[in-house]
Structure formats: structure tokens, C-alpha cells
Amino acid sequence: MTTFTPQSWESRADAYSFYGFTDLPSVHQRGTVVLTHGEGPYVVDVNGRRYLDANSGLWNMIAGFDHAGLADAAKDQYDRFPGYHAFFGRMSDQTVMLSEKLIQVSPYDRGRVFYTNSGSEANDTMVKMLWFLNRSEGRPQARKILTRVNAYHGVTVVSASMTGKPYNSVFGLPLDGFLHLTCPHYWREGQPGETEAEFTARLAQELEDMIQREGADTIAGFFAEPVMGAGGVIPPSEGYFQAIQPILKKHGIPLIADEVICGLGRTGEMWGCQTYDFTPDAIISSKALTAGLFPMGAVILGPDLSDRMQAAAEAIEEFPHGFTASGHPVGCAIALKAIDVIENEGLLDNVRRLTPRFEAGLAQLAENPNIGEWRGKGLMGALEAVKDKANKTPFASDLSVSERIANTCTDHGLICRPLGQSIVLCPPFIMTDAQMDEMFEKLEVALKAVFAEVG
């Protein structure tokens, strides 16, 4: 362990902070990186060190850390109307305008939007909506929720039950009725000799078999990220959504696209479902929705679920659910500006322009004998570390290889994210060619140093 002076930022952080999703041995040894401000895609710590943040904060700071227009939108709204709710038939004008805009940029010709404070709450809310709807329509037994192993849908009790990650066992989760299908990661989950088309067909059959086994009348919905984000940036196998959606439709099971990470440009289209050419029954949005400047999530209901939810609510005169800051006027004003920036300031265009350079950089690093696979879509990508490339053998978990790589990157002024045995990159949409090159150069140095250590 490294000893820090009692009044240092590192000691103060450690004395009064309880960390979430943080490798505690690294914090004890290295201390917390305490940041003061940002400059474009860079963040600066209390010691004046500058880091290129290739994780966009937490996938969300898509316009960087000092976009004047977004800050001005927040300031203007704070001056005009600094806070309100969306209960009791009252909401701000910004809330109305954002709902209109979200439907306009969605794949739907009409629908309705419900606001939360995070993606976790939005997924949690969507589950409650499905349970509410099914009880209203005479199917109270339809409560089971289908997701996939390695999926990430949030940290509330319900959304964590949807999240197919083994660490949730420490909370005694998942709750009963949350069922996890095979992760659609062909490189890791494909069987010997199995083609990608055969793998996709096997996963579709697995879904059909689970529905038959559990009973379609007991299943409320299927939730899926177009690209699994916190699972390690896992794009679906080819034809995956085209294979599973007809099965879900046949059995009357809604498909919910969790677009918390993919949505609003990350994959190169406005929505990940558009990238993969399917139309879900509802979309969950957060992160890029406010470009990271305000905590907000949204449930975007397509026409069918919108009409049915409206009818169910009118039957009892209300939908008894919501949050104090739902549809907060400042958050909505920022979101309106964020969508404008994505559409009209060239951010989505820049994602598309940079994607070939991004993919080429990942592919080049994947030539390293200890990188088993590169994968990604748009400006989200991952490199999977392996001890043996031919056999896809991972390193021993006690080596903490991805954590070592991320820490070494930090030492070189680059922030990236370790996820399992992978290193994840999801840079801001404002990146330049030079910054993209800087990102890959620093990551290459870190990879070579760590792989030399662990052999």
C-alpha cells in the first residue's frame, strides 16, 4: 500500500468516500484520481495532470467536458425555471418539447415518453409498466423478464436482476422470475465448428425452448441492448435480432431495446436498433440523452405499448409511479440542446467519419499475440486479453490483467475501462484524428508493458 499524507486529496477521498464499481486494491495502492475540470475530451486532476478520457466519463460525456452551448442551456433554464416535477397534470414546457423531440427522432411515428433520473430507473420503470399492463389486461401471471447472460441493465433491485453479471449474487440477486439466455457473443460462446449463422439459429431456438418451457403467458418482456455495453462491448451475432424478434412477436412478448449506451449516436445511427435494423416495442434512453450534464433517463413507448398503457392507466385514473425530478425542466432543456448538438453540430457525422479509423486502430492492436479479439460498433470497442490466442484461454483472474492495463494507461495520461478480461474504449463524439491516434498510441504502450510483465 502507498501511504498518502493525511491532508492529501487521496487520503481525504479514501477517508470519507464509499466506492462503487472500483477496484479497491488499486485505490489503496495508487489513490483516487481527483479531477477538477475538463477540456474537450480531456480531464485534469488536482495535480494538473491531463488525461484523454477514452471512456467519455461513463459512456455519457459525448460532447466532451466543456461544451459551452450545453452549459448555457443549463444556465438559461436555471435562470428561467430551475426545477419542477411532472405529477398531477403539471409539467414544464421543456418537458413537453423534449417528449415531442424524442418521438420525432425515434423509430416511431407516434408514442409517449416517461422520465426517470437514470437508465437503471428507466429499466425498472419499464418492468413495472409491463407488470401493470398485464394485470390490467387480465394476465397477472405474466411477470417473468427475459434478458441475456452478461447483459447490463442497471443497479436497482429489479434492473440488477435483469443484469446478467455474476457479481449480483453478493446481493442475493436475481429475484425469482428473471431469466437469462445465452450471451450472443459468437467468438466466446460459439461451439467448435459452429458457423455464426448456426450460432444465431441455436440462440433463437434456445429462446423458443425457454418460452415453451416457462409458458408464453407468464413472460412480460424481453430486454436487450443492441450492443452489450458493460458486458464488454459485445455486438450481437449476425442476424440475431431478425431471428429472435419473430419468435417474440409470435408469442406476444414485447421486445424492449435498452439503448442507455447505444442510443443517440454511439453506434453510428441515432439508435442501436436502427444500426441492427429492428424496431422494438419500447426504447430505454439515458447517458447521451443529456450528454452527461444532468441525471436523466427516459422510457420511450412505441405506438402499441403507448396505447395499451394509456388505456390501463385511464381504467384506474392514473399510473401510480414517478420520481420527484421526473421531467426536470433543466434536464429537459439540456437534453433538447444535446440532441440538437448531435444532429446539427456534426457529432453524429463525426462518429460515422471516425468509425473506420477507430476500427482500424482496434484491428492493429489485435495483432498482439495476447489480444484474442477486437470487437465493436461505431465509437464503442473492446480488446479481449488472452494468455493463449489460439485456444482463447484467458489470463488467471488473480493477475488482474485488464486492471493493470487500465492503470498503466492512466500513468500515460489515458483513461480507459477494464471489463472482465477486456479493455473498453468509448471515446467522446468530438474526437479528432490526432486524439484518436494519441489514444491508440498510449494504449499500445500500456499493452506491451503489461503483457511483458505477465508473460
Side-chain angles (χ1 to χ4, degrees):
M1 292 181 60
T2 301
T3 301
F4 300 98
T5 60
Q7 293 306 310
S8 70
W9 285 104
E10 293 85 357
S11 292
R12 291 161 63 189
D14 199 46
Y16 297 102
S17 303
F18 190 73
Y19 301 96
F21 284 119
T22 298
D23 184 69
L24 296 179
S26 289
V27 168
H28 295 326
Q29 181 180 1
R30 300 166 56 86
T32 300
V33 177
V34 181
L35 302 169
T36 61
H37 65 284
E39 302 165 355
Y42 297 88
V43 290
V44 183
D45 71 14
V46 290
N47 301 307
R49 289 201 63 194
R50 199 164 178 252
Y51 308 85
L52 176 58
D53 192 335
N55 198 44
S56 299
L58 197 58
W59 312 88
N60 56 345
M61 303 297 296
I62 58 168
F65 297 91
D66 60 352
H67 190 285
L70 289 165
D72 287 344
K75 293 171 189 173
D76 290 347
Q77 187 59 40
Y78 273 122
D79 287 340
R80 185 168 54 248
F81 191 31
Y84 210 67
H85 55 78
F87 286 15
F88 319 129
R90 296 188 291 277
M91 63 178 62
S92 78
D93 56 349
Q94 302 298 308
T95 311
V96 174
M97 289 189 290
L98 179 58
S99 296
E100 290 174 334
K101 186 63 177 178
L102 282 172
I103 295 303
Q104 178 188 328
V105 301
S106 80
Y108 309 126
D109 57 3
R110 60 183 182 86
R112 289 184 172 87
V113 183
F114 188 95
Y115 295 102
T116 67
N117 306 305
S118 66
S120 296
E121 291 175 359
N123 276 311
D124 199 298
T125 293
M126 187 73 245
V127 171
K128 285 184 71 176
M129 284 180 167
L130 293 171
W131 287 348
F132 171 76
L133 181 63
N134 281 307
R135 290 185 71 86
S136 175
E137 294 179 344
R139 296 182 302 276
Q141 77 281 4
R143 295 181 63 82
K144 295 173 185 174
I145 301 295
L146 305 182
T147 60
R148 289 90 56 83
V149 171
N150 226 19
Y152 185 91
H153 297 290
V155 295
T156 60
V157 171
V158 163
S159 63
S161 293
M162 297 161 67
T163 292
K165 306 286 281 185
Y167 54 67
N168 277 320
S169 64
V170 302
F171 304 108
L173 298 174
L175 299 173
D176 290 343
F178 290 83
L179 310 174
H180 300 96
L181 294 144
T182 298
C183 174
H185 187 187
Y186 173 59
W187 179 80
R188 179 57 73 187
E189 300 294 336
Q191 296 174 352
E194 186 176 45
T195 67
E196 189 166 359
E198 291 169 341
F199 174 73
T200 296
R202 174 162 63 86
L203 267 56
Q205 186 60 52
E206 178 192 42
L207 173 61
E208 178 68 58
D209 292 345
M210 178 173 280
I211 293 170
Q212 294 291 346
R213 182 171 62 252
E214 300 292 333
D217 62 339
T218 71
I219 298 171
F222 182 103
F223 286 67
E225 304 158 271
V227 178
M228 288 184 170
V233 184
I234 301 170
S237 56
E238 188 171 355
Y240 176 79
F241 285 103
Q242 286 67 40
I244 67 165
Q245 189 166 34
I247 295 170
L248 296 169
K249 283 186 178 295
K250 178 178 70 173
H251 294 289
I253 298 170
L255 170 59
I256 313 303
D258 180 346
E259 300 253 12
V260 167
I261 289 173
C262 296
L264 297 168
R266 177 63 67 179
T267 64
E269 299 292 340
M270 189 61 77
W271 303 100
C273 61
Q274 293 170 325
T275 297
Y276 289 100
D277 195 26
F278 72 97
T279 302
D281 296 284
I283 289 172
I284 306 300
S285 179
S286 188
K287 294 199 184 289
L289 178 59
T290 58
L293 272 68
F294 198 91
M296 177 175 280
V299 178
I300 306 171
L301 298 172
D304 179 64
L305 284 182
S306 177
D307 291 347
R308 292 166 61 194
M309 278 295 300
Q310 188 70 15
E314 288 180 357
I316 62 168
E317 299 184 353
E318 67 173 350
F319 176 51
H321 175 82
F323 305 92
T324 300
S326 293
H328 193 287
V330 176
C332 290
I334 295 170
L336 282 163
K337 182 60 178 178
I339 295 170
D340 178 62
V341 168
I342 292 166
E343 288 189 307
N344 301 316
E345 289 189 16
L347 267 67
L348 183 56
D349 291 338
N350 202 44
V351 172
R352 293 167 176 163
R353 185 187 68 82
L354 285 174
T355 292
R357 193 182 195 97
F358 184 60
E359 291 177 345
L362 290 168
Q364 183 176 347
L365 291 182
E367 294 176 5
N368 187 299
N370 290 118
I371 297 296
E373 179 196 38
W374 78 267
R375 54 184 181 264
K377 180 64 69 172
L379 285 191
M380 55 192 302
L383 297 164
E384 181 100 3
V386 291
K387 183 175 179 60
D388 185 301
K389 193 164 189 167
N391 296 310
K392 306 179 184 179
T393 307
F395 284 97
S397 59
D398 61 359
L399 290 174
S400 301
V401 168
S402 64
E403 195 72 32
R404 287 193 194 196
I405 295 169
N407 288 338
T408 304
C409 284
T410 303
D411 291 340
H412 288 85
L414 175 69
I415 293 174
C416 55
R417 183 176 178 181
L419 274 172
Q421 298 266 340
S422 299
I423 287 293
V424 164
L425 303 171
C426 52
F429 296 179
I430 60 169
M431 292 278 279
T432 64
D433 291 348
Q435 290 162 350
M436 186 73 69
D437 293 344
E438 176 190 348
M439 177 182 74
F440 284 122
E441 287 165 6
K442 290 181 174 180
L443 179 54
E444 183 174 21
V445 170
L447 290 173
K448 288 179 177 178
V450 172
F451 291 147
E453 290 176 3
V454 299

